[in-house]
């Protein structure tokens, strides 16, 4: 008996299971990617804006410290004038002040605020230079210390306070802007996730339509054809396009019903022959 070496190869039918796994897997991958993208984008923007806000808060703290140091120095000189006691003259640690000032400059993030910082430096230098003449004025017999204090030193201090207030206002405005940017950046960061989730939902709808039109409806029609044959004897005639397992099932059902019809005819003819 010769072997059939030239027989046709068995064609492998498309697997419904593979189609379902591929479709659902694609949706799962899209949803996972959307979540990862949204989280990474949010973390990046959150870290960036958080650094800006932290720098603003640090700037506010430093500017308040500078104001407190200068205010305390001014009050101590006022006490000298009131008590008329030069021994109460305070020592001002200018190096400590300048180190805080340099730290303040480095914490400023907005370029528009830097000119205000320079104004504060200039007004502070004028105030310190004027205050360093206090000993000379206090010991001079021709100059009234009180008039000099309120007429010369206090205007310099007032100018410094004005510039410091302007700086604080600029820093607070920058903090407010960064906080608003954080809110808007949050919504921008979730847009990729929203888009991907929307795409995933669209794929779910398309998959649902594909499943219903290509699998659910044919199964219902196959069941209706079988029930119609069983109840009325109507010939099964549902034709289905495709080459997957469901098409094989429909073809098998058609073949079984046709064979059953032929078998019934044969049985009927045998009964008639008897």
């Amino acid at each position: 008996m010769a072997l059939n070496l030239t027989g046709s190869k068995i064609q492998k039918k498309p697997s419904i299971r593979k189609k379902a796994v591929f479709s659902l897997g694609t949706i799962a991958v899209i949803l996972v990617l959307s979540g990862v993208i949204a989280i990474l984008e949010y973390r990046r923007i959150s870290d960036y804006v958080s650094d800006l806000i932290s720098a603003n808060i640090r700037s506010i703290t430093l500017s308040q410290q500078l104001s407190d140091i200068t205010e305390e120095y001014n009050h101590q000189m006022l006490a000298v004038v009131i008590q008329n006691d030069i021994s109460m003259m305070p020592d001002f640690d200018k190096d400590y002040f300048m180190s805080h000032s340099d730290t303040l400059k480095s914490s400023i993030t907005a370029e528009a605020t830097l000119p205000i910082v320079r104004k504060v430096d200039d007004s502070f230098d004028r105030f310190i230079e004027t205050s360093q003449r206090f000993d000379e004025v206090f010991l001079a017999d021709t100059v009234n210390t009180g008039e000099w204090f309120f007429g010369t030193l206090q205007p310099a201090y007032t100018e410094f306070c004005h510039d410091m207030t302007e700086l604080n206002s600029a820093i607070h405005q920058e903090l407010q802007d960064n906080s608003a940017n954080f809110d808007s950046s949050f919504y921008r960061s979730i847009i990729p996730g929203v888009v991907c989730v929307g795409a995933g939902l669209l794929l779910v709808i398309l998959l649902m339509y594909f499943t219903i039109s290509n699998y659910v409806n044919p199964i219902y029609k196959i069941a209706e054809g079988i029930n119609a044959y069983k109840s009325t004897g109507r010939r099964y005639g549902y034709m289905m396009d495709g080459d997957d397992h469901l098409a094989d099932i429909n073809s098998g059902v058609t073949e079984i019903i046709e064979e059953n019809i032929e078998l019934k005819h044969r049985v009927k003819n045998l009964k008639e022959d008897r």
Side-chain angles (χ1 to χ4, degrees):
M1 177 178 170
L3 295 174
N4 184 9
L5 300 177
T6 60
S8 60
K9 295 182 178 179
I10 299 176
Q11 294 183 351
K12 189 174 182 180
K13 301 294 184 180
S15 172
I16 297 177
R17 184 184 295 109
K18 289 183 178 180
K19 290 182 179 179
V21 171
F22 176 77
S23 302
L24 296 175
T26 301
I27 296 174
V29 169
I30 290 177
L31 294 178
V32 170
L33 286 178
S34 66
V36 171
I37 292 173
I39 291 173
L40 292 178
E41 185 67 14
Y42 174 75
R43 287 188 59 183
R44 183 184 68 82
I45 295 178
S46 176
D47 292 342
Y48 173 72
V49 179
S50 296
D51 291 340
L52 293 179
I53 293 176
S54 298
N56 294 147
I57 295 175
R58 186 165 57 252
S59 299
I60 293 173
T61 302
L62 289 171
S63 64
Q64 186 61 47
Q65 290 177 349
L66 295 179
S67 297
D68 293 342
I69 294 171
T70 311
E71 182 181 10
E72 179 65 21
Y73 178 62
N74 185 71
H75 286 167
Q76 290 175 350
M77 286 192 295
L78 177 61
V80 174
V81 175
I82 295 175
Q83 298 295 330
N84 195 28
D85 186 358
I86 192 62
S87 64
M88 298 174 58
M89 184 64 189
D91 292 328
F92 187 81
D93 191 349
K94 187 175 181 181
D95 293 336
Y96 178 78
F97 184 95
M98 295 308 298
S99 66
H100 278 62
S101 178
D102 293 338
T103 305
L104 176 61
K105 293 176 185 178
S106 63
S107 65
I108 296 296
T109 58
E111 293 293 333
T113 310
L114 293 178
I116 304 177
V117 177
R118 288 191 286 270
K119 284 179 58 178
V120 171
D121 285 342
D122 294 339
S123 60
F124 171 76
D125 289 338
R126 285 191 292 271
F127 170 69
I128 291 299
E129 289 176 0
T130 304
S131 67
Q132 289 175 348
R133 295 166 47 199
F134 187 84
D135 291 347
E136 176 185 347
V137 171
F138 187 87
L139 297 176
D141 296 333
T142 58
V143 181
N144 186 287
T145 306
E147 292 181 356
W148 177 87
F149 181 86
F150 291 103
T152 303
L153 183 60
Q154 283 305 288
Y157 175 72
T158 302
E159 182 183 1
F160 168 78
C161 292
H162 176 270
D163 293 340
M164 184 61 74
T165 301
E166 183 179 358
L167 176 60
N168 287 330
S169 298
I171 296 174
H172 279 86
Q173 183 61 45
E174 184 181 349
L175 176 60
Q176 183 177 355
D177 294 341
N178 288 331
S179 299
N181 289 335
F182 179 79
D183 293 335
S184 61
S185 298
F186 170 75
Y187 291 108
R188 287 199 303 269
S189 67
I190 65 175
I191 287 178
V194 172
V195 172
C196 292
V197 171
L201 293 176
L202 179 61
L203 286 177
V204 169
I205 295 173
L206 293 176
L207 177 61
M208 184 183 301
Y209 172 78
F210 173 79
T211 302
I212 292 175
S213 62
N214 290 276
Y215 296 103
V216 177
N217 290 338
I219 290 174
Y220 274 102
K221 291 181 180 179
I222 291 174
E224 290 174 359
I226 294 174
N227 291 331
Y229 169 72
K230 290 169 61 179
S231 59
T232 64
R234 187 176 64 185
R235 185 180 295 272
Y236 182 85
Y238 176 62
M239 303 297 297
M240 181 178 177
D241 297 330
D243 58 352
D244 55 13
H245 292 90
L246 191 57
D248 287 345
I249 293 173
N250 182 66
S251 178
V253 169
T254 303
E255 184 178 350
I256 291 173
I257 292 178
E258 291 297 328
E259 290 177 354
N260 187 264
I261 293 174
E262 184 178 353
L263 181 60
K264 286 183 178 180
H265 283 311
R266 289 181 181 178
V267 171
K268 182 179 179 181
N269 291 334
L270 288 175
K271 290 180 178 180
E272 290 177 354
D273 290 342
R274 291 179 182 178

